[in-house]
Amino acid sequence: MKRINYLLVILSLTIINFSCDKFTSEEFDEVNGNVDTKLMSSISVLSAQSSDENAKIIFSYNTDNKLTTIFDGSNTTIFSYEEGSLSNVTGQSGNGNIEELYQSPYNAFEDGQVEEYDNNGNPSVLKFLEYDYNRTTRDYEVVYYTAEISYDNKPNPFYKTAEAAGLISVMDKIRLNFAAALQPEEIVKAKVLFPNNNLSQITYKNEDGEVEHSINLAYTYDGDYPTSATVTSISAVGGNTYSYNTTFSYVGN
């Protein structure tokens, strides 16, 4: 099932070595309680720097409120169903990743692995490789960076949309127990990183623990769901700050 990580926005990590027996849906309900259903219809990102950085992602549904397509302005991801269950995901889309939306210089969510989870079961520390230039040896060397992730005490706003695509049901069938039979790697990756809460900050640190870059999202909420966010992406090297305004729309709004 290609491009599943696109819908879940930040769900492409290498598999980590741990065991978990909880359903994705069970853990989400334990953390958030009863959450009203709102299906995402679009995400619009406006850059304060350049219109070339603007982005819009459109989610479409059928009459049964099942997700059918995601369109990012260039590419379309198509969700197919058989007897009411997700059977296939086809197409290619690339700018749903939060690091791509807000011009992060790193790919922690694509290339890293989960090191820690917080008390709500959200991935809170990712570890990933970087290549730093060593002026003494005049060569690049491999170093480990970390991405520390914080969340608002609000539900993951993409959960109900993922549920409408049948992805929660698919992840519920996965058990992260490596004594178990071989399971689809892409689905396991999605389950490993699926957050229960709404991501609000990413802080990237080098191997010495020094901050290299950060992304901060300050949301405006209507109940459990964000309607907008002011985003700042700050580079410690050079002190550059990039600003974005993001709007979230839902079916029926």
Side-chain angles (χ1 to χ4, degrees):
M1 293 184 178
K2 296 181 179 179
R3 311 312 305 174
I4 283 179
N5 58 330
Y6 171 75
L7 171 64
L8 302 181
V9 183
I10 53 172
L11 302 183
S12 181
L13 289 186
T14 54
I15 302 171
I16 63 172
N17 191 16
F18 81 110
S19 176
C20 175
D21 288 327
K22 283 189 177 180
F23 291 116
T24 301
S25 56
E26 179 184 47
E27 188 172 47
F28 181 84
D29 290 342
E30 285 181 1
V31 171
N32 297 294
N34 294 324
V35 177
D36 291 339
T37 296
K38 282 191 177 182
L39 302 178
M40 194 76 66
S41 61
S42 69
I43 304 171
S44 299
V45 179
L46 297 179
S47 168
Q49 293 71 236
S50 170
S51 60
D52 291 339
E53 296 180 357
N54 293 350
K56 186 165 187 176
I57 304 170
I58 299 173
F59 302 79
S60 299
Y61 303 82
N62 62 18
T63 55
D64 295 324
N65 282 332
K66 290 187 177 296
L67 184 69
T68 54
T69 62
I70 304 173
F71 179 61
D72 70 353
S74 300
N75 301 294
T76 302
T77 299
I78 301 171
F79 296 79
S80 302
Y81 302 88
E82 291 182 3
E83 298 181 353
S85 297
L86 182 66
S87 60
N88 199 17
V89 183
T90 57
Q92 292 188 348
S93 300
N95 69 348
N97 186 296
I98 193 169
E99 292 177 309
E100 294 182 4
L101 282 175
Y102 303 124
Q103 306 299 312
S104 169
Y106 304 110
N107 293 313
F109 293 106
E110 182 176 349
D111 301 328
Q113 64 181 21
V114 180
E115 291 289 299
E116 296 179 19
Y117 287 83
D118 65 19
N119 291 334
N120 281 349
N122 300 303
S124 58
V125 179
L126 312 182
K127 187 176 183 179
F128 61 100
L129 290 175
E130 280 293 306
Y131 295 89
D132 279 359
Y133 185 73
N134 188 316
R135 295 182 182 276
T136 301
T137 63
R138 296 183 179 181
D139 199 1
Y140 286 92
E141 58 185 16
V142 177
V143 295
Y144 283 103
Y145 278 37
T146 57
E148 298 179 359
I149 309 168
S150 301
Y151 300 83
D152 282 353
N153 189 26
K154 293 286 187 177
N156 178 350
F158 296 95
Y159 178 88
K160 295 297 183 178
T161 299
E163 188 175 54
L167 296 175
I168 301 300
S169 177
V170 171
M171 287 192 289
D172 273 351
K173 296 175 183 177
I174 295 294
R175 282 291 184 269
L176 298 182
N177 186 332
F178 289 84
L182 185 64
Q183 301 174 103
E185 180 178 339
E186 191 171 46
I187 307 300
V188 175
K189 289 179 181 180
K191 184 179 178 71
V192 164
L193 191 56
F194 193 84
N196 294 306
N197 294 124
N198 192 22
L199 186 153
S200 60
Q201 184 180 60
I202 309 169
T203 302
Y204 302 93
K205 294 182 178 180
N206 61 28
E207 62 178 352
D208 295 322
E210 300 167 333
V211 175
E212 294 282 343
H213 196 91
S214 64
I215 299 175
N216 300 279
L217 300 93
Y219 296 95
T220 298
Y221 287 93
D222 178 12
D224 286 329
Y225 288 86
T227 56
S228 63
T230 300
V231 184
T232 53
S233 185
I234 305 169
S235 174
V237 179
N240 295 323
T241 299
Y242 307 92
S243 300
Y244 306 86
N245 289 314
T246 301
T247 302
F248 303 90
S249 298
Y250 303 89
V251 173
N253 287 6

